[in-house]
Amino acid sequence: MELSTIAKPYAQAIFEIAEQSNSVLGWSDFLAAATVIMADKNTKTFIASPSKSKNQKFDLISALIARMTSKDLSKQESAFINLVLNNDRSSAISSIANAFESTVSNANKSKNFKVISAYELSEDEQQAIVKDLTSKHKTTVSVETEIDVTLKGGVIIKEGDKVIDTSIKAKVDALGVSLSVN
């Protein structure tokens, strides 16, 4: 099952809890910290270790997140970490965080896009993309940029699990598939 599919129900539940307790920003910080910690190679090794109990894993992850956020975890945050570990979903934390941020943006009537290009975009190019996306979606738009030199040219625009790929690499790959079929 794809991580974004797994992440959506978790993100929606967290969003509902965050809205009820007026703690959207706190959950956003918590999920950002959890993403960094769960992406660490040593943490992954520790979580995957069959010799470590679920309690040891929970205690370590909770302590690391508490240290990184400089606050004690709430009951809901602790319960979330416990749920993720018990369901073996630690690899989905990044997707859960992204889905949560997307849900927050949708609730705020704004959209977040990730733009991946072969080179660093100029300020004018970024503004043109923001203007086009704002016009198309008729809402406030924010853009996060990333560089991937393997694209050769063009851009990939992502919003949640939607992808628009206008990169030269995608066009070359599609041409290769087309030629191999014929």
Side-chain angles (χ1 to χ4, degrees), residues 41 51 54 62 64 68 88 121 140 142 175 177 179 182:
K41 183 177 78 169
S51 66
K54 292 206 184 272
S62 297
L64 290 172
M68 191 169 188
D88 293 323
L121 297 173
T140 306
S142 64
L175 181 61
V177 168
L179 291 174
N182 295 330

Side-chain angles (χ1 to χ4, degrees), residues 15-87:
F15 179 73
E16 289 172 13
I17 291 168
E19 270 203 324
Q20 288 172 359
S21 61
N22 209 15
S23 60
V24 171
L25 187 57
W27 273 99
S28 186
D29 292 343
F30 166 80
L31 289 170
T35 298
V36 170
I37 289 164
M38 296 293 200
D40 180 70
K41 183 177 78 169
N42 294 326
T43 304
K44 287 179 181 179
T45 303
F46 186 84
I47 290 172
S49 173
S51 66
K52 304 297 180 193
S53 72
K54 292 206 184 272
N55 286 340
Q56 288 173 312
K57 294 172 185 179
F58 172 80
D59 290 344
L60 175 73
I61 300 303
S62 297
L64 290 172
I65 294 172
R67 183 177 297 157
M68 191 169 188
T69 59
S70 302
K71 70 175 190 68
D72 291 334
L73 300 184
S74 70
K75 287 179 184 175
Q76 289 97 351
E77 291 167 339
S78 294
F80 172 73
I81 292 298
N82 201 26
L83 181 68
V84 166
L85 291 173
N86 285 334
N87 292 333

